Amino acid sequence: AQKITQTQPGMFVQEKEAVTLDCTYDTSDQSYGLFWYKQPSSGEMIFLIYQGSYDEQNATEGRYSLNFQKARKSANLVISASQLGDSAMYFCAMREGIQGAQKLVFGQGTRLTINP
Amino acid sequence: EAGVAQSPRYKIIEKRQSVAFWCNPISGHATLYWYQQILGQGPKLLIQFQNNGVVDDSQLPKDRFSAERLKGVDSTLKIQPAKLEDSAVYLCASSLDIVSAYEQYFGPGTRLTVT
């Protein structure tokens, strides 16, 4: 069963607009973590933002914020004031497993294209 | 601070041949991960090391894949013999330790094409 679902294969946004990338997850654990990574064409995975399941406030990192809705099991990434350099693949991931043997499970990704 | 290094960046082999990938993690990082990323999919964890011990290799196809991290620093992932479906990008990542596994740093990857 898919644990991380990203329903948007591709998104096209005008430069300077805000964009929301969707992510839903499935877990029965009480303690878990959610991540967003950016993968430009160079191939490297770049960590963007992290949200712990017990964090009461939504995580923010510069232009990135995570809209965490625990009851709906969603963890959408919001990029404000998009830039041309934001064009890339974006992956949502969840940390699962027992402490000492945890791993990341990734979604299928969303390709974001910023148009000038 | 130097990042995670991987080599080679690209490799093309014929099916049934063998291939090896090398990874050098960030200095001082005890935990090392190998991921397989097939085109159009997210990365899938193949194996996780804590120092030179294996923590999780549940998704490693052990009949053809092997990995080692003998001195707890750099690591090698081998495929023998390769199949067409092994064509993918192989990503190496490291984290300070297993407790801070959420903060993984990734290398540039090795793109493998099996013909």
Side-chain angles (χ1 to χ4, degrees):
Chain A
Q2 191 81 306
K3 294 196 173 185
I4 296 287
T5 303
Q6 295 181 253
T7 57
Q8 307 152 311
M11 289 277 287
F12 295 85
V13 175
Q14 288 298 119
E15 190 180 7
K16 299 180 185 176
E17 288 184 352
V19 56
T20 298
L21 305 182
D22 296 340
C23 172
T24 57
Y25 60 92
D26 181 26
T27 183
S28 56
D29 293 345
Q30 294 300 309
S31 177
Y32 52 89
L34 296 157
F35 307 77
W36 278 92
Y37 283 84
K38 173 184 178 180
Q39 188 176 43
S41 56
S42 59
E44 197 167 335
M45 297 287 282
I46 302 168
F47 167 75
L48 294 178
I49 197 166
Y50 167 78
Q51 178 87 38
S53 58
Y54 292 120
D55 295 340
E56 293 186 353
Q57 291 193 332
N58 287 341
T60 60
E61 289 286 349
R63 292 186 300 113
Y64 304 108
S65 61
L66 199 151
N67 185 358
F68 182 46
Q69 298 186 46
K70 197 170 182 177
R72 299 178 66 178
K73 293 190 175 179
S74 74
N76 299 338
L77 176 70
V78 180
I79 305 174
S80 63
S82 58
Q83 302 171 355
L84 295 178
D86 294 334
S87 294
M89 283 291 292
Y90 287 80
F91 291 95
C92 180
M94 178 173 64
R95 182 188 67 220
E96 66 169 13
I98 60 173
Q99 192 165 2
Q102 294 178 331
K103 63 184 180 186
L104 289 180
V105 177
F106 287 83
Q108 299 279 72
T110 296
R111 181 172 296 281
L112 177 63
T113 303
I114 307 298
N115 296 315
Chain B
E1 178 184 83
V4 177
Q6 290 188 248
S7 67
R9 290 296 312 277
Y10 305 92
K11 189 75 176 177
I12 301 173
I13 62 172
E14 295 182 351
K15 59 184 179 183
R16 291 188 288 275
Q17 286 186 325
S18 62
V19 64
F21 312 128
W22 175 82
C23 171
N24 192 299
I26 292 174
S27 178
H29 280 197
T31 311
L32 185 147
Y33 315 79
W34 282 104
Y35 290 87
Q36 179 192 58
Q37 185 177 18
I38 293 172
L39 186 65
Q41 299 181 17
K44 180 183 79 172
L45 180 69
L46 291 177
I47 189 167
Q48 177 182 346
F49 292 95
Q50 175 68 8
N51 295 312
N52 60 352
V54 175
V55 174
D56 183 351
D57 63 357
S58 58
Q59 297 191 97
L60 186 74
K62 298 180 186 63
D63 58 333
R64 297 184 300 105
F65 286 64
S66 64
E68 59 184 15
R69 193 184 184 201
L70 292 176
K71 296 184 179 179
V73 181
D74 54 355
S75 175
T76 303
L77 177 70
K78 297 179 182 177
I79 308 175
Q80 183 179 7
K83 293 185 175 181
L84 295 177
E85 58 261 36
D86 298 332
S87 294
V89 175
Y90 291 85
L91 294 164
C92 180
S94 70
S95 63
L96 192 59
D97 53 41
I98 210 159
V99 176
S100 60
Y102 68 89
E103 199 163 350
Q104 294 184 25
Y105 296 86
F106 284 78
T110 295
R111 183 177 297 276
L112 173 68
T113 302
V114 182
T115 63

